[in-house]
C-alpha cells in the first residue's frame, strides 16, 4: 500500500484535502484545491510517532511537510477544512503489524523535535531534578513561568510590530463595527475595560501581565489614572518603557519587569488582568484571585479578560501543539471555573461577557499582517518560527469560529460587608457587542 493511502487511512473518515507523498502516491480528496505533501521519510516519521496535530505540526515546521494552496502566513482555508479530522483512528494489532511491514520499522523511529519546540514539564524536570528535587516536576513555579513567557514573548519586538500592528496589543480586540480597523478595535478594547472599571483621574490601576503596556498607556493617557503594569518579558518591559516616554506619560505610567507575585503595593482602585489567566495554571486560580483581592481597596473592581474553553468539564489543556510551540504550560478552563475561583476568593461577580467572535476577527487581522510582512518576519526570526505563528493564529481562528474556545470578560468587585461597591463601574452601560 502507498504512503498516502496508509496515512489517509489513519485519519477518521480520511482527509477532506489532497494528501500526497514522496513515493508519488496521492490520496484523500483529489479535487481539493488544498493539500498536504509529505516530502521525505522524516516527515513520515513525525506524523507516525506523534499522531494528530503535534506530528503534523512537527513535520510542517521542520520543512518536511508542505501545505498546498495556502500562504504559510495564513493557512486558514486549509485548516478550516481539516478541523476535527486530524485525530488518528486506532488501528487493530493486525493492521498495525501490516503497516509496519509496509512502511518499515524505521518509519516509526521518532526524530528529534524541531528546535522551536518547548520541552514538556516532565522532560525539563528530568534534566533539573538533581538541583530542584520534586519541585522540578511542578508547572508554574516562578522560574518555569519566566522561562515559558520568554519562549513566547521574547521572540522579537520587531516581529510583533509586524504582526500586531502599531497598538502592540496581543489580546482580543473589540470591534465597535464590522468595518472597524484592527487599531480601532484594539483601542475600543482598552477603552471598554476602562469604562467597565469606572476609571477616573487620580485613581491607581494595576495591570497584571501587561504585555507592551497598551492598557497602562491607554488608561493613563485617556483617563488620567496612575497605572502600574507588570510583565515577565524583559523585551516587553523595555519596549513599553520607551513607548511611555515617547507618549510623555512618565508621571502616570510604569511598566515593570516583574512577576506579579512580587508586587508589593496595595490599595489599588482597580485591577485589569488581560490575557494573563491562561498562563498561571488552573490549580493556581485560588491563589491568583486571592492575591488580586488583597491588592484592591474595599469596593474596588477587577476585570479579568481570558481565553476559555467552551465547557467546565474537560481537561484544562490548550492542546499539544499550543503547549509545545506557542504557550508552554498554558491551561484553558471554562468561564464558570474562573467565576467560581473569583467568588471563592471573595469577589462579587457583576458582569460576564463573551467576545469569541471578536477574537476570530482579531486573529484574521493578525494573519493578514503576517502575510503582508512575511519576508520581514522570516528575516527577523526564521522560517520555522514564522510558520508556527501562521499555523497557530489560523488554527486559533478556527477554534473561536467553531466555539471550541471563547474569550470572556468577568467583571467583579471586592464588595465590602455593607454590600456597596464603589460606584464608578456601575455607571457603565452594559452594551452587548455581537454585531461581528
Amino acid at each position: 500500500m502507498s504512503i498516502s493511502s496508509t496515512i489517509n487511512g489513519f485519519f477518521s473518515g480520511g482527509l477532506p484535502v489532497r494528501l500526497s507523498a514522496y513515493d508519488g502516491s496521492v490520496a484523500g480528496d483529489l479535487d481539493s484545491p488544498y493539500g498536504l505533501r509529505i516530502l521525505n521519510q522524516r516527515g513520515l516519521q513525525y506524523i507516525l510517532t506523534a499522531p494528530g496535530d503535534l506530528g503534523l505540526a512537527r513535520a510542517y515546521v521542520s520543512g518536511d511537510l508542505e501545505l498546498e494552496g495556502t500562504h504559510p502566513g495564513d493557512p486558514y482555508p486549509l485548516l478550516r477544512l481539516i478541523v476535527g479530522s486530524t485525530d488518528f483512528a486506532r488501528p487493530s494489532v493486525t493492521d498495525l503489524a501490516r503497516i509496519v511491514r509496509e512502511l518499515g520499522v524505521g518509519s516509526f523511529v521518532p526524530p528529534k523535535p524541531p528546535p522551536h519546540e518547548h520541552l514538556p514539564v516532565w522532560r525539563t524536570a528530568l534534566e533539573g531534578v538533581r538541583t530542584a528535587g520534586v519541585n522540578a516536576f511542578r508547572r508554574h513555579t516562578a522560574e518555569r513561568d519566566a522561562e515559558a513567557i520568554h519562549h513566547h514573548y521574547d521572540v522579537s519586538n520587531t516581529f510583533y510590530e509586524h504582526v500586531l500592528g502599531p497598538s502592540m496589543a496581543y489580546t482580543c480586540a473589540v470591534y465597535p463595527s464590522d468595518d472597524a480597523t484592527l487599531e480601532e478595535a484594539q483601542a475600543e478594547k482598552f477603552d471598554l475595560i476602562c469604562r467597565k472599571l469606572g476609571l477616573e483621574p487620580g485613581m491607581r490601576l494595576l495591570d497584571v501581565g501587561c504585555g507592551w503596556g497598551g492598557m497602562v498607556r491607554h488608561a493613563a493617557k485617556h483617563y488620567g489614572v496612575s497605572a502600574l503594569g507588570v510583565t515577565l518579558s524583559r523585551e516587553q518591559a523595555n519596549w513599553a518603557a520607551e513607548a511611555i516616554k515617547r507618549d510623555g506619560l512618565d508621571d502616570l505610567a510604569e511598566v515593570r519587569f516583574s512577576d506579579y507575585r512580587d508586587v508589593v503595593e496595595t490599595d489599588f482602585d482597580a485591577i485589569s488582568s488581560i490575557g494573563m489567566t491562561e498562563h498561571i495554571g488552573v490549580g493556581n486560580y485560588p491563589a491568583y484571585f486571592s492575591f488580586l483581592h488583597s491588592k484592591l481597596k474595599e469596593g474596588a473592581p477587577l476585570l479579568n479578560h481570558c481565553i476559555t474553553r467552551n465547557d467546565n468539564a474537560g481537561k484544562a489543556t490548550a492542546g499539544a501543539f499550543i503547549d509545545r510551540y506557542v504557550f508552554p504550560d498554558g491551561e484553558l478552563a471554562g468561564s464558570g471555573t474562573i467565576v467560581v475561583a473569583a467568588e471563592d476568593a471573595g469577589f462579587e461577580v457583576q458582569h460576564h461577557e463573551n467576545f469569541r467572535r471578536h477574537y476570530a476577527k482579531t486573529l484574521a487581522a493578525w494573519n493578514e499582517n503576517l502575510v503582508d510582512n512575511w519576508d520581514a518576519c522570516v528575516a527577523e526570526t526564521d522560517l520555522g518560527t514564522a510558520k508556527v505563528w501562521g499555523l497557530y493564529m489560523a488554527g486559533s481562528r478556527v477554534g473561536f469560529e467553531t466555539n471550541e474556545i471563547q474569550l470572556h470578560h468577568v467583571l467583579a468587585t471586592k464588595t465590602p460587608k455593607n454590600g456597596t461597591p464603589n460606584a464608578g463601574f456601575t455607571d457603565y452601560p452594559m452594551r452587548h457587542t455581537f454585531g461581528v
Side-chain angles (χ1 to χ4, degrees):
M1 185 177 288
S2 69
I3 291 175
S4 294
S5 296
T6 300
I7 297 300
N8 191 57
F10 274 121
F11 296 105
S12 301
L15 286 171
V17 296
R18 186 177 58 258
L19 176 65
S20 56
Y22 56 93
D23 65 346
S25 61
V26 182
D29 184 353
L30 304 187
D31 296 324
S32 174
Y34 307 107
L36 305 175
R37 179 182 293 275
I38 305 170
L39 300 179
N40 51 46
Q41 188 182 28
R42 188 174 68 172
L44 178 63
Q45 290 172 296
Y46 276 132
I47 294 170
L48 290 174
T49 57
D53 293 346
L54 182 59
L56 290 169
R58 284 174 171 171
Y60 175 60
V61 171
S62 64
D64 303 313
L65 175 74
E66 284 185 353
L67 307 186
E68 299 178 320
T70 66
H71 190 287
D74 188 10
Y76 168 80
L78 187 153
L79 297 184
R80 193 67 173 85
L81 286 175
I82 67 174
V83 64
S85 302
T86 57
D87 289 336
F88 270 26
R90 185 182 297 274
S92 67
V93 174
T94 301
D95 285 341
L96 183 59
R98 174 182 54 80
I99 292 168
V100 171
R101 287 196 304 271
E102 291 173 350
L103 299 182
V105 175
S107 297
F108 291 84
V109 176
K112 183 179 180 180
H116 310 83
E117 186 167 319
H118 187 271
L119 293 176
V121 66
W122 66 267
R123 289 278 297 275
T124 53
L126 290 177
E127 296 172 5
V129 71
R130 288 185 178 180
T131 56
V134 294
N135 286 332
F137 290 93
R138 292 177 54 211
R139 287 187 172 202
H140 303 296
T141 60
E143 295 79 9
R144 186 167 174 89
D145 280 350
E147 179 188 351
I149 293 301
H150 171 73
H151 173 85
H152 187 69
Y153 292 101
D154 289 344
V155 174
S156 157
N157 283 334
T158 301
F159 177 86
Y160 279 107
E161 287 170 352
H162 289 313
V163 175
L164 304 181
S167 70
M168 287 293 276
Y170 187 30
T171 46
C172 175
V174 175
Y175 284 80
S177 64
D178 192 52
D179 59 352
T181 66
L182 174 63
E183 291 304 305
E184 291 170 339
Q186 290 292 12
E188 172 64 14
K189 180 263 301 296
F190 289 130
D191 206 72
L192 177 64
I193 293 173
C194 289
R195 299 196 303 270
K196 285 185 174 183
L197 291 172
L199 297 184
E200 296 177 355
M203 286 184 169
R204 295 172 61 239
L205 169 72
L206 172 63
D207 184 37
V208 289
C210 68
W212 289 270
M215 177 65 186
V216 167
R217 289 182 288 120
H218 188 97
K221 181 177 181 180
H222 297 284
Y223 287 82
V225 304
S226 176
L228 168 64
V230 292
T231 173
L232 273 176
S233 167
R234 188 180 296 277
E235 290 290 322
Q236 288 181 335
N238 291 342
W239 192 98
E242 293 177 3
I244 288 170
K245 185 175 293 294
R246 184 175 63 246
D247 293 345
L249 298 171
D250 302 69
D251 58 331
L252 289 175
E254 177 190 356
V255 167
R256 188 179 298 169
F257 173 53
S258 169
D259 191 299
Y260 76 90
R261 289 164 285 202
D262 294 330
V263 173
V264 296
E265 295 90 339
T266 58
D267 291 332
F268 288 96
D269 296 289
I271 294 178
S272 52
S273 173
I274 307 174
M276 174 69 174
T277 323
E278 300 91 326
H279 298 291
I280 65 172
V282 175
N284 292 323
Y285 281 5
Y288 181 67
F289 286 106
S290 294
F291 177 85
L292 299 184
H293 190 271
S294 73
K295 294 297 175 181
L296 283 168
K297 289 181 177 177
E298 289 290 311
L302 160 72
L303 189 287
N304 195 78
H305 164 129
C306 178
I307 300 172
T308 59
R309 293 176 56 86
N310 61 4
D311 63 65
N312 296 278
K315 186 178 179 181
T317 175
F321 169 68
I322 297 293
D323 185 58
R324 302 289 185 88
Y325 286 88
V326 185
F327 295 117
D329 299 347
E331 296 180 15
L332 301 181
S335 62
T337 304
I338 293 171
V339 167
V340 168
E343 290 177 337
D344 287 351
F347 283 103
E348 179 188 8
V349 172
Q350 303 286 349
H351 186 241
H352 189 177
E353 193 168 9
N354 185 0
F355 291 93
R356 73 168 177 85
R357 284 179 280 182
H358 291 263
Y359 216 157
K361 194 172 176 66
T362 303
L363 286 155
W366 289 341
N367 270 124
E368 183 178 352
N369 285 345
L370 180 57
V371 171
D372 290 345
N373 298 286
W374 180 253
D375 290 342
C377 287
V378 172
E380 184 64 25
T381 54
D382 57 73
L383 179 59
T385 297
K387 288 164 74 173
V388 165
W389 276 81
L391 188 64
Y392 135 65
M393 292 190 298
S396 296
R397 176 185 173 187
V398 174
F400 283 106
E401 287 180 345
T402 57
N403 194 31
E404 287 295 315
I405 43 178
Q406 302 172 346
L407 188 287
H408 279 89
H409 278 192
V410 174
L411 178 65
T413 52
K414 183 178 179 177
T415 305
K417 291 182 179 180
N418 66 11
T420 305
N422 293 346
F425 84 93
T426 59
D427 295 330
Y428 165 71
M430 301 301 186
R431 63 186 181 86
H432 297 279
T433 51
F434 296 119
V436 298

